Amino acid sequence: MKLPALKFSKKPSEMDRRDFLRAGAALATITLAPGVTLMAFGGSEAKANADPAKRWGLLIDVNKCVKDCTACVSACSQENGWRLPVNKETDAQWIRKVTLTDNDTGREEYLVTMCQHCEEPPCVDVCPTGASFKRVDGIVLVDKHICIGCRYCMMACPYKARSFVHENIVDEQKTWAPRGKGTVESCTMCVHRVDTGRIPACVEACNATGHGAIIFGDLKDPESEISKALAKYPSTALRDDLGLNPGVRYSNL
Amino acid sequence: MKRLLVFFILATALAGHTAIAGNLGPEIPKATGKPHPEGNLWMRINHPKMLLHDRNLTMRQGDRDIEFSLKGCVSCHAVKGADGQPVGYDDPKYFCRVCHDYAAVKVDCFMCHNSKPEEKTQAFLSPRKAPDSNELAAYLNKTGKETGQ
Ligand code: SF4
Ligand code: SF4
């Protein structure tokens, strides 16, 4: 188990940015890297919700995930506007239910998998355009504006988390989740919700069924529900041996 | 620079089209909501830069409250069809298409984005104070550097 990235660390550059924003300049700027800034005008501050002091994660309790329940999968499909796979070969799948069977005893376990939001994401390493990227708060996304659909990232991902959009989509997308033919997509950890202080749709749906198998929260905050649960109970990452340190972890697996 | 000049000539032509005998320019649909404080001519020239710049604020930084969002454009500039519902990009009457078809410039946005407005976006748009010319110049200078134009 490798947990260095879960420790809180505030970079000096980050403090500079906050201090600058507090100064309330008419043209608010955000320092991205030396020499590169983003700004908004008209007196409004640019509000960067991606915060490097946080790392968002999920903890999935396999014991609480129930056999025929697919509430989280349906919720994700509805929230993000992808149809539940009809054409299984090609349709996008952001989250899927997996059944594990112990060949010796026949015992079954159920769990869901999605993008594991790796700290060291291979999908980002291989992307030739910079479209596959990790936000400062650990959420891994595809910038479809610059994705060329080469699918290298799909090959590189050890979790089969990414899908390619094969067909035209006309005016069916949610405004918060653009999707289009020729680009790759995967779980965004409902980044549009997280940025506005809400929890991902799958977590909300799982809670609504009463199963409560998924906890969402900030891995860098020792007081968060997820950090406390991780500190108290044993957990693991899928293919922990790869050393990718995913933000999605599993307990009772 | 040449590109900018083409934009400028086109925008000027569009702005002055009613004065031209025979009305050669496209018929630009009226928008709902508050007018752009920067002026329509300015928006005609600079809207691609604004969209390109501000999309990165949302995509990379998670800023969900940006000034120049496609969602915002689509909301105020919706054109209603015969059935009273907003038309999509597939309809030649669609706001963006009126000028873009005229200028033969392809719009890629709606390959991924929904071209129809979402109901609650009207509330999301708040009137802005007009920025002064120094602010605008500084903003354009910066966005130009960032987006490599
Ligand atoms: S699970 Fe796959 S898609 Fe997600 S960050 Fe890791 S390598 Fe990338
Ligand atoms: S498919 Fe898109 S996101 Fe994936 S590696 Fe290619 S360009 Fe990058």
Side-chain angles (χ1 to χ4, degrees):
Chain A
M1 193 162 105
K2 178 191 163 210
L3 287 172
L6 309 187
K7 293 270 181 297
F8 179 89
S9 76
K10 193 163 184 177
K11 293 194 197 96
S13 62
E14 179 53 14
M15 291 187 196
D16 295 343
R17 176 175 77 78
R18 291 185 173 268
D19 292 346
F20 187 85
L21 286 179
R22 259 191 227 106
L27 294 168
T29 69
I30 296 174
T31 308
L32 284 177
V36 186
T37 55
L38 288 176
M39 65 177 186
F41 74 63
S44 64
E45 275 183 4
K47 262 188 255 124
N49 289 303
D51 182 350
K54 291 187 160 75
R55 185 181 177 207
W56 297 114
L58 297 172
L59 174 61
I60 299 167
D61 187 338
V62 179
N63 269 357
K64 292 184 182 163
C65 189
V66 176
K67 186 173 184 185
D68 291 316
C69 175
T70 51
C72 55
V73 180
S74 310
C76 177
S77 139
Q78 251 175 24
E79 176 76 18
N80 295 298
W82 52 276
R83 70 171 181 200
L84 292 172
V86 179
N87 189 349
K88 287 209 158 46
E89 298 271 287
T90 51
D91 279 1
Q93 228 179 329
W94 291 23
I95 174 171
R96 54 169 74 85
K97 187 90 184 249
V98 175
T99 304
L100 301 176
T101 313
D102 185 324
N103 285 340
D104 296 332
T105 62
R107 181 177 174 269
E108 287 186 345
E109 278 185 334
Y110 314 96
L111 57 114
V112 283
T113 64
M114 68 289 277
C115 170
Q116 305 287 300
H117 298 277
C118 309
E119 193 203 357
E120 309 282 352
C123 60
V124 175
D125 291 342
V126 300
C127 180
T129 68
S132 184
F133 73 103
K134 188 177 72 168
R135 291 205 330 176
V136 289
D137 58 5
I139 298 179
V140 178
L141 298 172
V142 179
D143 184 345
K144 288 163 198 176
H145 302 112
I146 55 174
C147 169
I148 55 170
C150 68
R151 290 167 263 183
Y152 283 179
C153 56
M154 289 176 67
M155 294 292 158
C157 172
Y159 304 103
K160 212 180 170 189
R162 288 203 164 166
S163 307
F164 181 73
V165 182
H166 288 264
E167 287 162 58
N168 263 332
I169 306 171
V170 179
D171 293 342
E172 287 161 28
Q173 305 92 333
K174 307 290 181 189
T175 49
W176 52 87
R179 313 180 53 230
K181 181 179 167 182
T183 62
V184 160
E185 58 187 19
S186 54
C187 156
T188 62
M189 216 182 264
C190 280
V191 68
H192 58 284
R193 283 173 160 246
V194 173
D195 281 340
T196 52
R198 295 156 70 209
I199 61 171
C202 57
V203 182
E204 198 174 273
C206 187
N207 288 344
T209 62
H211 299 141
I214 318 176
I215 304 175
F216 166 80
D218 180 7
L219 299 170
K220 283 186 182 172
D221 173 7
E223 294 309 311
S224 67
E225 189 192 354
I226 190 168
S227 296
K228 284 184 181 161
L230 282 168
K232 200 160 167 196
Y233 307 108
S235 68
T236 184
L238 298 181
R239 289 299 308 269
D240 211 2
D241 55 315
L242 295 173
L244 306 175
N245 198 16
V248 180
R249 301 189 66 86
Y250 292 81
S251 58
N252 294 310
L253 185 63
Chain B
M1 196 59 213
K2 205 164 99 209
R3 224 164 155 204
L4 197 69
L5 193 69
V6 172
F7 266 128
F8 186 75
I9 293 166
L10 174 70
T12 319
L14 294 180
H17 80 268
T18 42
I20 301 168
N23 199 3
L24 296 171
E27 210 52 70
I28 303 169
K30 276 245 168 305
T32 56
K34 300 267 184 310
H36 293 291
E38 301 84 7
N40 288 346
L41 178 60
W42 193 87
M43 282 309 285
R44 273 173 208 144
I45 297 168
N46 292 305
H47 72 280
K49 279 190 197 156
M50 310 320 244
L51 285 168
L52 188 60
H53 177 265
D54 284 16
R55 79 173 194 202
N56 288 344
L57 283 175
T58 303
M59 184 82 236
R60 307 262 159 178
Q61 308 280 299
D63 188 340
R64 302 274 152 191
D65 209 10
I66 54 168
E67 298 273 13
F68 299 101
S69 69
L70 196 61
K71 187 156 104 175
C73 306
V74 162
S75 168
C76 282
H77 289 288
V79 174
K80 295 218 163 76
D83 58 355
Q85 293 303 309
V87 298
Y89 186 73
D90 49 3
D91 190 313
K93 288 203 292 287
Y94 193 72
F95 179 79
C96 308
R97 278 192 65 178
V98 173
C99 294
H100 275 263
D101 283 358
Y102 180 78
V105 178
K106 203 174 153 218
V107 179
D108 286 340
C109 309
F110 304 109
M111 289 172 77
C112 285
H113 288 275
N114 196 318
S115 68
K116 294 184 180 169
E118 176 193 318
E119 256 160 50
K120 57 178 194 263
T121 46
Q122 285 289 351
F124 162 92
L125 297 162
S126 52
R128 290 177 290 123
K129 151 187 151 295
D132 70 27
S133 56
N134 288 338
E135 277 176 343
L136 288 177
Y139 183 79
L140 282 181
N141 191 10
K142 285 271 187 192
T143 56
K145 269 186 205 144
E146 281 162 34
T147 53
Q149 301 225 328

